[in-house]
Coordinates of all heavy atoms in Angstrom, one line a residue:
M24 N 0.8 -1.2 0.0 CA 0.0 0.0 0.0 C 0.9 1.3 0.0 O 0.5 2.2 -0.7 CB -0.9 0.0 1.2 CG -1.9 1.0 1.3 SD -3.1 0.8 -0.1 CE -4.2 2.2 0.2
K25 N 2.0 1.2 0.7 CA 2.8 2.4 0.8 C 3.4 2.7 -0.6 O 3.6 3.8 -0.9 CB 4.0 2.2 1.8 CG 3.5 2.1 3.2 CD 4.7 1.9 4.1 CE 4.2 1.8 5.6 NZ 5.4 1.6 6.5
H26 N 3.7 1.6 -1.4 CA 4.3 1.8 -2.7 C 3.3 2.5 -3.6 O 3.7 3.4 -4.4 CB 4.7 0.5 -3.3 CG 5.6 0.6 -4.5 ND1 6.9 1.1 -4.4 CD2 5.4 0.2 -5.7 CE1 7.4 1.1 -5.6 NE2 6.5 0.5 -6.4
I27 N 2.1 2.2 -3.5 CA 1.0 2.8 -4.3 C 0.9 4.3 -4.0 O 0.8 5.1 -4.9 CB -0.3 2.0 -4.2 CG1 -0.2 0.7 -4.8 CG2 -1.5 2.8 -4.8 CD1 -1.4 -0.2 -4.5
L28 N 1.0 4.6 -2.7 CA 0.9 6.0 -2.3 C 2.1 6.8 -2.8 O 1.9 7.9 -3.1 CB 0.8 6.0 -0.7 CG -0.5 5.5 -0.2 CD1 -0.5 5.5 1.4 CD2 -1.7 6.3 -0.7
K29 N 3.3 6.2 -2.8 CA 4.4 6.9 -3.3 C 4.3 7.1 -4.8 O 4.6 8.3 -5.3 CB 5.7 6.0 -3.1 CG 6.2 6.0 -1.7 CD 7.4 5.1 -1.6 CE 7.9 4.9 -0.2 NZ 9.1 4.0 -0.1
I30 N 3.8 6.2 -5.5 CA 3.6 6.4 -7.0 C 2.5 7.4 -7.2 O 2.7 8.3 -8.1 CB 3.2 5.0 -7.6 CG1 4.4 4.1 -7.6 CG2 2.7 5.2 -9.1 CD1 4.0 2.7 -8.1
L31 N 1.4 7.4 -6.5 CA 0.4 8.4 -6.6 C 0.9 9.8 -6.3 O 0.6 10.8 -6.9 CB -0.9 8.0 -5.8 CG -1.7 6.9 -6.3 CD1 -2.8 6.6 -5.3 CD2 -2.3 7.2 -7.7
G32 N 1.7 9.9 -5.2 CA 2.3 11.2 -4.8 C 3.2 11.7 -5.9 O 3.2 12.9 -6.2
L33 N 4.0 10.8 -6.5 CA 4.9 11.2 -7.6 C 4.1 11.7 -8.8 O 4.4 12.7 -9.4 CB 5.8 10.1 -7.9 CG 6.8 10.4 -9.0 CD1 7.8 11.5 -8.6 CD2 7.6 9.1 -9.4
L34 N 3.0 10.9 -9.1 CA 2.2 11.3 -10.2 C 1.5 12.6 -10.0 O 1.4 13.5 -11.0 CB 1.1 10.2 -10.5 CG 0.2 10.4 -11.7 CD1 1.0 10.3 -13.0 CD2 -0.9 9.3 -11.7
V35 N 1.0 12.9 -8.8 CA 0.4 14.2 -8.5 C 1.4 15.3 -8.6 O 1.1 16.4 -9.2 CB -0.3 14.2 -7.1 CG1 -0.7 15.6 -6.7 CG2 -1.5 13.2 -7.2
T36 N 2.6 15.1 -8.1 CA 3.7 16.1 -8.2 C 4.1 16.4 -9.6 O 4.2 17.6 -10.0 CB 4.9 15.6 -7.4 OG1 4.5 15.3 -6.1 CG2 6.0 16.7 -7.4
V37 N 4.3 15.4 -10.4 CA 4.6 15.6 -11.8 C 3.5 16.3 -12.6 O 3.7 17.3 -13.4 CB 5.0 14.3 -12.5 CG1 5.1 14.4 -14.0 CG2 6.3 13.8 -11.9
S38 N 2.3 15.9 -12.3 CA 1.1 16.6 -12.9 C 1.0 18.1 -12.5 O 0.7 18.9 -13.4 CB -0.2 15.9 -12.6 OG -0.2 14.6 -13.0
A39 N 1.3 18.3 -11.2 CA 1.2 19.7 -10.8 C 2.3 20.6 -11.4 O 2.1 21.7 -11.8 CB 1.4 19.8 -9.3
I40 N 3.5 20.0 -11.6 CA 4.6 20.7 -12.2 C 4.2 21.0 -13.7 O 4.4 22.1 -14.2 CB 5.9 20.0 -12.1 CG1 6.4 20.0 -10.6 CG2 7.0 20.5 -13.0 CD1 7.6 19.1 -10.4
W41 N 3.7 20.0 -14.3 CA 3.3 20.1 -15.8 C 2.2 21.2 -15.9 O 2.3 22.0 -16.8 CB 2.8 18.8 -16.3 CG 2.5 18.8 -17.7 CD1 3.2 19.2 -18.8 CD2 1.2 18.4 -18.3 NE1 2.6 19.0 -20.0 CE2 1.3 18.5 -19.7 CE3 0.0 17.9 -17.8 CZ2 0.3 18.2 -20.6 CZ3 -1.0 17.5 -18.6 CH2 -0.9 17.7 -20.0
I42 N 1.2 21.1 -15.1 CA 0.1 22.1 -15.2 C 0.7 23.5 -14.9 O 0.3 24.5 -15.5 CB -1.0 21.8 -14.3 CG1 -1.7 20.5 -14.8 CG2 -2.0 22.9 -14.1 CD1 -2.8 19.9 -13.9
G43 N 1.6 23.6 -13.9 CA 2.2 24.9 -13.6 C 3.0 25.4 -14.8 O 3.0 26.6 -15.0
L44 N 3.7 24.6 -15.5 CA 4.5 25.0 -16.7 C 3.5 25.5 -17.8 O 3.8 26.4 -18.5 CB 5.4 23.9 -17.2 CG 6.6 23.6 -16.3 CD1 7.3 22.3 -16.9 CD2 7.6 24.8 -16.3
L45 N 2.4 24.8 -17.9 CA 1.5 25.2 -18.9 C 0.8 26.6 -18.6 O 0.6 27.5 -19.4 CB 0.3 24.2 -19.1 CG 0.7 22.9 -19.8 CD1 -0.4 21.9 -19.7 CD2 1.1 23.2 -21.3
Q46 N 0.6 26.8 -17.3 CA -0.1 28.0 -16.8 C 0.9 29.2 -16.8 O 0.5 30.3 -17.2 CB -0.7 27.8 -15.4 CG -1.7 26.8 -15.3 CD -3.1 27.3 -15.8 OE1 -3.3 28.5 -15.7 NE2 -3.9 26.4 -16.4
A47 N 2.1 29.0 -16.4 CA 3.1 30.1 -16.2 C 3.8 30.5 -17.5 O 4.4 31.5 -17.5 CB 4.1 29.7 -15.1
S48 N 3.7 29.7 -18.5 CA 4.3 30.0 -19.8 C 5.9 30.1 -19.6 O 6.5 30.9 -20.3 CB 3.8 31.3 -20.4 OG 2.4 31.1 -20.7
I49 N 6.4 29.4 -18.7 CA 7.9 29.3 -18.5 C 8.5 28.6 -19.7 O 9.5 29.0 -20.3 CB 8.3 28.6 -17.2 CG1 7.8 29.4 -16.0 CG2 9.8 28.4 -17.1 CD1 7.9 28.7 -14.7
V50 N 7.8 27.5 -20.1 CA 8.2 26.8 -21.3 C 7.1 27.0 -22.4 O 6.0 27.1 -22.1 CB 8.3 25.3 -21.0 CG1 8.7 24.5 -22.2 CG2 9.3 25.1 -19.8
S51 N 7.6 27.1 -23.6 CA 6.6 27.3 -24.7 C 5.5 26.2 -24.6 O 5.8 25.0 -24.3 CB 7.3 27.2 -26.0 OG 6.4 27.2 -27.1
S52 N 4.3 26.6 -24.9 CA 3.2 25.6 -24.8 C 3.3 24.5 -25.7 O 2.9 23.4 -25.5 CB 1.8 26.4 -24.9 OG 1.7 26.9 -26.3
S53 N 3.9 24.7 -26.9 CA 4.1 23.6 -27.8 C 5.1 22.6 -27.3 O 4.9 21.4 -27.6 CB 4.6 24.1 -29.2 OG 5.9 24.7 -29.0
Y54 N 6.0 23.0 -26.5 CA 6.9 22.0 -25.8 C 6.3 21.4 -24.6 O 6.5 20.3 -24.2 CB 8.3 22.7 -25.4 CG 9.1 23.1 -26.6 CD1 9.5 24.4 -26.8 CD2 9.5 22.1 -27.6 CE1 10.2 24.7 -27.9 CE2 10.3 22.5 -28.7 CZ 10.6 23.8 -28.8 OH 11.4 24.1 -29.9
A55 N 5.6 22.2 -23.8 CA 5.0 21.8 -22.6 C 4.0 20.7 -22.8 O 3.8 19.8 -22.0 CB 4.3 22.9 -21.8
W56 N 3.3 20.7 -23.9 CA 2.3 19.6 -24.2 C 3.0 18.3 -24.5 O 2.4 17.2 -24.3 CB 1.4 20.0 -25.4 CG 0.4 21.0 -25.0 CD1 0.4 22.3 -25.4 CD2 -0.8 20.7 -24.2 NE1 -0.7 22.9 -24.9 CE2 -1.4 21.9 -24.1 CE3 -1.3 19.6 -23.6 CZ2 -2.6 22.1 -23.4 CZ3 -2.4 19.8 -22.8 CH2 -3.1 21.0 -22.8
L57 N 4.3 18.3 -24.9 CA 5.0 17.1 -25.1 C 5.8 16.6 -23.9 O 6.4 15.5 -24.0 CB 6.0 17.3 -26.3 CG 5.4 17.6 -27.6 CD1 6.5 18.0 -28.6 CD2 4.7 16.4 -28.1
L58 N 5.8 17.3 -22.8 CA 6.5 16.9 -21.6 C 6.1 15.5 -21.1 O 7.0 14.7 -20.8 CB 6.4 17.9 -20.5 CG 7.3 19.2 -20.8 CD1 7.0 20.1 -19.6 CD2 8.7 18.8 -20.9
P59 N 4.8 15.1 -21.1 CA 4.4 13.8 -20.7 C 5.0 12.7 -21.6 O 5.5 11.6 -21.1 CB 2.9 13.7 -20.8 CG 2.5 15.2 -20.6 CD 3.6 15.9 -21.3
V60 N 5.1 13.0 -22.9 CA 5.7 12.0 -23.8 C 7.2 11.9 -23.5 O 7.8 10.8 -23.5 CB 5.5 12.4 -25.3 CG1 6.2 11.5 -26.2 CG2 4.0 12.5 -25.6
Y61 N 7.9 13.0 -23.3 CA 9.3 13.0 -22.9 C 9.5 12.2 -21.6 O 10.5 11.4 -21.5 CB 9.9 14.4 -22.8 CG 9.9 15.2 -24.0 CD1 9.8 16.5 -24.0 CD2 10.1 14.5 -25.3 CE1 9.8 17.3 -25.2 CE2 10.2 15.3 -26.4 CZ 10.1 16.6 -26.4 OH 10.1 17.4 -27.6
L62 N 8.6 12.4 -20.7 CA 8.7 11.7 -19.4 C 8.6 10.2 -19.6 O 9.3 9.4 -19.0 CB 7.6 12.2 -18.4 CG 7.6 11.5 -17.0 CD1 8.9 11.9 -16.3 CD2 6.4 11.9 -16.2
I63 N 7.6 9.7 -20.4 CA 7.5 8.3 -20.7 C 8.7 7.7 -21.4 O 9.2 6.6 -21.0 CB 6.2 8.1 -21.5 CG1 5.0 8.4 -20.6 CG2 6.1 6.6 -22.0 CD1 3.7 8.4 -21.4
V64 N 9.3 8.5 -22.3 CA 10.5 8.0 -23.0 C 11.6 7.9 -22.0 O 12.4 7.0 -22.0 CB 10.8 8.9 -24.2 CG1 12.2 8.6 -24.8 CG2 9.7 8.8 -25.3
L65 N 11.7 8.9 -21.1 CA 12.8 9.0 -20.1 C 12.7 7.8 -19.2 O 13.7 7.1 -18.8 CB 12.8 10.3 -19.4 CG 13.8 10.5 -18.3 CD1 15.2 10.6 -19.0 CD2 13.6 11.7 -17.5
L66 N 11.4 7.5 -18.7 CA 11.2 6.3 -17.9 C 11.6 5.0 -18.6 O 12.1 4.1 -17.9 CB 9.8 6.3 -17.3 CG 9.4 7.4 -16.3 CD1 7.9 7.4 -16.0 CD2 10.2 7.2 -15.0
G67 N 11.2 4.9 -19.8 CA 11.6 3.7 -20.6 C 13.1 3.6 -20.7 O 13.6 2.5 -20.5
C68 N 13.8 4.7 -21.0 CA 15.3 4.6 -21.0 C 15.9 4.2 -19.7 O 16.8 3.4 -19.6 CB 15.9 5.9 -21.5 SG 15.5 6.3 -23.2
Y69 N 15.3 4.8 -18.6 CA 15.8 4.4 -17.2 C 15.5 2.9 -17.0 O 16.4 2.2 -16.4 CB 15.0 5.3 -16.2 CG 15.3 4.9 -14.8 CD1 16.6 5.2 -14.2 CD2 14.4 4.2 -14.0 CE1 16.8 4.8 -12.9 CE2 14.7 3.8 -12.7 CZ 15.9 4.1 -12.2 OH 16.2 3.7 -10.9
G70 N 14.4 2.4 -17.4 CA 14.1 1.0 -17.2 C 15.0 0.1 -17.9 O 15.5 -0.9 -17.4
L71 N 15.3 0.5 -19.2 CA 16.3 -0.3 -20.0 C 17.7 -0.3 -19.4 O 18.4 -1.3 -19.3 CB 16.3 0.2 -21.4 CG 15.1 -0.2 -22.2 CD1 15.2 0.5 -23.6 CD2 15.0 -1.7 -22.4
F72 N 18.0 0.9 -18.9 CA 19.3 1.0 -18.2 C 19.4 0.2 -17.0 O 20.4 -0.5 -16.8 CB 19.6 2.5 -17.8 CG 20.8 2.7 -17.1 CD1 22.1 2.7 -17.7 CD2 20.8 3.0 -15.7 CE1 23.2 2.9 -17.0 CE2 21.9 3.2 -15.0 CZ 23.2 3.2 -15.6
M73 N 18.4 0.2 -16.2 CA 18.4 -0.7 -14.9 C 18.4 -2.1 -15.3 O 19.1 -2.9 -14.6 CB 17.2 -0.3 -14.1 CG 17.3 1.1 -13.5 SD 18.8 1.5 -12.6 CE 18.8 0.4 -11.3
V74 N 17.7 -2.6 -16.3 CA 17.8 -4.0 -16.7 C 19.2 -4.3 -17.2 O 19.7 -5.4 -16.8 CB 16.8 -4.3 -17.9 CG1 17.0 -5.6 -18.5 CG2 15.4 -4.2 -17.3
G75 N 19.8 -3.4 -18.0 CA 21.2 -3.6 -18.4 C 22.2 -3.7 -17.2 O 23.0 -4.6 -17.2
V76 N 22.0 -2.9 -16.3 CA 22.9 -2.9 -15.1 C 22.7 -4.2 -14.3 O 23.6 -4.9 -13.8 CB 22.7 -1.7 -14.2 CG1 23.3 -1.8 -12.8 CG2 23.2 -0.4 -14.9
G77 N 21.4 -4.6 -14.2 CA 21.1 -5.8 -13.5 C 21.7 -7.1 -14.2 O 22.2 -8.0 -13.5
L78 N 21.7 -7.0 -15.5 CA 22.3 -8.1 -16.3 C 23.8 -8.2 -16.2 O 24.4 -9.2 -16.1 CB 21.8 -8.1 -17.7 CG 20.4 -8.5 -18.0 CD1 20.1 -8.2 -19.5 CD2 20.1 -9.9 -17.6
M79 N 24.4 -7.0 -16.1 CA 25.9 -6.9 -16.1 C 26.4 -7.4 -14.7 O 27.4 -8.1 -14.6 CB 26.4 -5.5 -16.3 CG 26.3 -5.0 -17.7 SD 27.1 -3.5 -18.1 CE 27.1 -2.5 -16.6
F80 N 25.6 -7.1 -13.7 CA 26.1 -7.5 -12.3 C 25.2 -8.6 -11.8 O 25.1 -8.7 -10.6 CB 26.0 -6.3 -11.4 CG 26.9 -5.2 -11.8 CD1 26.4 -4.0 -12.3 CD2 28.3 -5.4 -11.8 CE1 27.3 -3.0 -12.7 CE2 29.2 -4.4 -12.2 CZ 28.6 -3.2 -12.7
F81 N 24.7 -9.5 -12.7 CA 23.9 -10.6 -12.2 C 24.7 -11.6 -11.4 O 25.8 -12.0 -11.8 CB 23.3 -11.4 -13.4 CG 22.3 -12.4 -13.1 CD1 21.0 -12.0 -12.7 CD2 22.6 -13.8 -13.1 CE1 20.1 -13.0 -12.4 CE2 21.7 -14.7 -12.8 CZ 20.4 -14.3 -12.4
P82 N 24.3 -11.9 -10.2 CA 25.1 -12.7 -9.3 C 25.2 -14.2 -9.8 O 24.2 -14.7 -10.2 CB 24.4 -12.6 -8.0 CG 23.0 -12.3 -8.3 CD 23.0 -11.5 -9.5
T83 N 26.4 -14.7 -9.8 CA 26.5 -16.1 -10.2 C 26.6 -16.9 -8.9 O 27.2 -16.5 -7.9 CB 27.8 -16.3 -11.0 OG1 28.9 -15.8 -10.3 CG2 27.7 -15.6 -12.3
C84 N 26.0 -18.0 -8.8 CA 25.9 -18.8 -7.6 C 26.4 -20.2 -8.0 O 25.6 -21.1 -8.3 CB 24.5 -18.9 -7.1 SG 23.7 -17.3 -6.9
P85 N 27.7 -20.4 -7.9 CA 28.3 -21.7 -8.2 C 27.8 -22.8 -7.3 O 27.6 -24.0 -7.8 CB 29.8 -21.6 -8.2 CG 30.0 -20.3 -7.5 CD 28.8 -19.5 -7.6
Q86 N 27.6 -22.5 -6.1 CA 27.1 -23.6 -5.1 C 25.7 -24.0 -5.5 O 25.4 -25.2 -5.5 CB 27.1 -23.0 -3.7 CG 28.5 -22.7 -3.2 CD 28.4 -22.0 -1.9 OE1 27.4 -21.4 -1.5 NE2 29.6 -21.9 -1.2
E87 N 24.9 -23.1 -5.9 CA 23.5 -23.4 -6.3 C 23.5 -24.2 -7.6 O 22.7 -25.1 -7.8 CB 22.7 -22.1 -6.4 CG 22.4 -21.4 -5.1 CD 21.7 -22.2 -4.1 OE1 20.7 -23.0 -4.5 OE2 22.0 -22.1 -2.9
S88 N 24.4 -23.8 -8.4 CA 24.5 -24.6 -9.7 C 24.9 -26.0 -9.5 O 24.3 -26.9 -10.1 CB 25.6 -23.9 -10.6 OG 25.8 -24.7 -11.7
H89 N 25.8 -26.3 -8.5 CA 26.2 -27.7 -8.2 C 25.0 -28.4 -7.6 O 24.8 -29.6 -7.9 CB 27.4 -27.7 -7.3 CG 28.7 -27.2 -8.0 ND1 29.2 -27.8 -9.0 CD2 29.4 -26.2 -7.7 CE1 30.3 -27.2 -9.4 NE2 30.5 -26.2 -8.6
L90 N 24.3 -27.7 -6.7 CA 23.1 -28.4 -6.1 C 22.0 -28.7 -7.1 O 21.4 -29.8 -7.1 CB 22.5 -27.5 -5.0 CG 23.4 -27.3 -3.7 CD1 22.7 -26.3 -2.8 CD2 23.5 -28.7 -3.0
L91 N 21.9 -27.8 -8.1 CA 20.9 -28.0 -9.1 C 21.3 -29.2 -10.0 O 20.5 -30.1 -10.4 CB 20.7 -26.8 -10.0 CG 19.7 -26.8 -11.1 CD1 18.3 -27.1 -10.5 CD2 19.6 -25.6 -11.9
Q92 N 22.6 -29.3 -10.4 CA 23.0 -30.4 -11.2 C 22.9 -31.7 -10.4 O 22.5 -32.8 -11.0 CB 24.5 -30.2 -11.6 CG 24.7 -29.1 -12.5 CD 24.1 -29.3 -13.9 OE1 23.9 -30.4 -14.3 NE2 23.7 -28.2 -14.5
K93 N 23.1 -31.7 -9.1 CA 22.9 -32.9 -8.3 C 21.5 -33.3 -8.3 O 21.1 -34.5 -8.4 CB 23.4 -32.6 -6.9 CG 23.3 -33.8 -5.9 CD 23.8 -33.4 -4.6 CE 23.6 -34.5 -3.6 NZ 23.9 -34.1 -2.2
D94 N 20.6 -32.4 -8.1 CA 19.1 -32.7 -8.1 C 18.7 -33.2 -9.5 O 17.9 -34.2 -9.6 CB 18.3 -31.4 -7.8 CG 18.4 -31.0 -6.4 OD1 18.8 -31.8 -5.6 OD2 18.0 -29.8 -6.1
I95 N 19.2 -32.7 -10.6 CA 18.9 -33.2 -11.9 C 19.4 -34.7 -12.0 O 18.6 -35.5 -12.6 CB 19.5 -32.3 -13.0 CG1 18.8 -30.9 -13.0 CG2 19.4 -33.0 -14.4 CD1 19.4 -29.9 -13.9
A96 N 20.6 -34.9 -11.6 CA 21.1 -36.3 -11.7 C 20.2 -37.3 -10.8 O 19.9 -38.4 -11.3 CB 22.6 -36.4 -11.2
E97 N 19.8 -36.8 -9.6 CA 19.0 -37.7 -8.8 C 17.6 -37.9 -9.5 O 17.1 -39.0 -9.4 CB 18.8 -37.0 -7.4 CG 20.0 -37.0 -6.5 CD 19.7 -36.3 -5.2 OE1 18.6 -35.8 -5.0 OE2 20.7 -36.1 -4.5
A98 N 17.1 -36.9 -10.1 CA 15.8 -37.1 -10.8 C 15.9 -38.0 -11.9 O 15.0 -38.8 -12.2 CB 15.3 -35.7 -11.2
K99 N 17.0 -37.9 -12.7 CA 17.2 -38.8 -13.8 C 17.3 -40.3 -13.3 O 16.8 -41.2 -13.9 CB 18.5 -38.4 -14.6 CG 18.3 -37.3 -15.5 CD 19.5 -37.0 -16.3 CE 19.3 -35.8 -17.2 NZ 20.5 -35.5 -18.0
D100 N 18.1 -40.5 -12.2 CA 18.2 -41.8 -11.7 C 16.9 -42.4 -11.2 O 16.5 -43.5 -11.4 CB 19.2 -41.8 -10.5 CG 20.7 -41.6 -10.9 OD1 21.0 -41.9 -12.1 OD2 21.5 -41.2 -10.1
F101 N 16.1 -41.5 -10.6 CA 14.8 -41.9 -10.1 C 13.9 -42.4 -11.3 O 13.2 -43.4 -11.2 CB 14.1 -40.8 -9.3 CG 12.7 -41.1 -8.9 CD1 12.5 -41.9 -7.8 CD2 11.7 -40.5 -9.5 CE1 11.2 -42.2 -7.4 CE2 10.4 -40.8 -9.2 CZ 10.1 -41.6 -8.1
L102 N 13.9 -41.6 -12.3 CA 13.1 -41.9 -13.5 C 13.6 -43.1 -14.2 O 12.7 -43.9 -14.7 CB 13.0 -40.7 -14.4 CG 12.3 -39.4 -13.9 CD1 12.4 -38.3 -14.9 CD2 10.8 -39.8 -13.7
K103 N 14.9 -43.3 -14.2 CA 15.4 -44.6 -14.9 C 15.0 -45.8 -14.1 O 14.6 -46.8 -14.6 CB 16.9 -44.5 -14.9 CG 17.4 -43.6 -16.1 CD 18.9 -43.6 -16.1 CE 19.4 -42.7 -17.2 NZ 20.9 -42.5 -17.2
R104 N 15.0 -45.7 -12.7 CA 14.5 -46.8 -11.9 C 13.0 -47.1 -12.1 O 12.6 -48.2 -12.0 CB 14.8 -46.5 -10.4 CG 16.2 -46.8 -10.0 CD 16.4 -46.6 -8.5 NE 16.8 -45.2 -8.3 CZ 16.3 -44.4 -7.4 NH1 15.3 -44.8 -6.6 NH2 16.8 -43.2 -7.3
K105 N 12.3 -46.1 -12.5 CA 10.8 -46.3 -12.7 C 10.6 -46.8 -14.1 O 9.4 -47.0 -14.5 CB 10.1 -45.0 -12.5 CG 10.1 -44.5 -11.1 CD 9.2 -45.4 -10.2 CE 9.1 -44.8 -8.8 NZ 8.3 -45.7 -8.0
G106 N 11.6 -46.8 -15.0 CA 11.5 -47.4 -16.3 C 11.2 -46.3 -17.4 O 10.8 -46.6 -18.5
I107 N 11.4 -45.0 -17.0 CA 11.2 -44.0 -18.0 C 12.6 -43.6 -18.6 O 13.6 -43.4 -17.9 CB 10.6 -42.7 -17.3 CG1 9.3 -43.1 -16.7 CG2 10.5 -41.6 -18.3 CD1 8.7 -42.0 -15.8
D108 N 12.6 -43.6 -19.9 CA 13.8 -43.3 -20.7 C 14.1 -41.8 -20.6 O 13.3 -41.0 -21.1 CB 13.7 -43.8 -22.1 CG 15.0 -43.6 -22.9 OD1 16.1 -43.6 -22.2 OD2 15.0 -43.4 -24.1
V109 N 15.2 -41.4 -20.0 CA 15.6 -40.0 -19.9 C 16.9 -39.8 -20.7 O 18.0 -40.1 -20.2 CB 15.7 -39.6 -18.5 CG1 16.1 -38.1 -18.4 CG2 14.5 -39.9 -17.7
N110 N 16.8 -39.3 -21.9 CA 18.0 -39.0 -22.7 C 18.3 -37.5 -22.6 O 17.3 -36.7 -22.7 CB 17.9 -39.5 -24.1 CG 17.9 -41.0 -24.2 OD1 18.5 -41.7 -23.4 ND2 17.2 -41.5 -25.2
S111 N 19.5 -37.2 -22.5 CA 19.8 -35.7 -22.5 C 20.1 -35.2 -23.9 O 20.6 -34.1 -24.0 CB 21.0 -35.5 -21.6 OG 22.1 -36.3 -22.0
D112 N 19.9 -36.0 -24.9 CA 20.1 -35.6 -26.3 C 19.0 -34.7 -26.8 O 17.9 -34.8 -26.6 CB 20.3 -36.8 -27.2 CG 21.5 -37.6 -26.9 OD1 22.5 -37.0 -26.3 OD2 21.5 -38.8 -27.2

């Protein structure tokens, strides 16, 4: 619930600034009408940047990898004992 309130607060703040810019004529009205589009593009770029950073610094877990390989081998052995053919090809 707190996260939703933060988002709504940010949305209200951005809307108030945008309406203020339209009313005060600080920025040309032809540019002020495009500010929401610029904001959406900027948020998209930020999101892509954060995904890229997350992928660059993705944690590797060698211990978990070994445990997963062990679980896979156990599952294959179990299925072979039950008569199910498990080929890794």
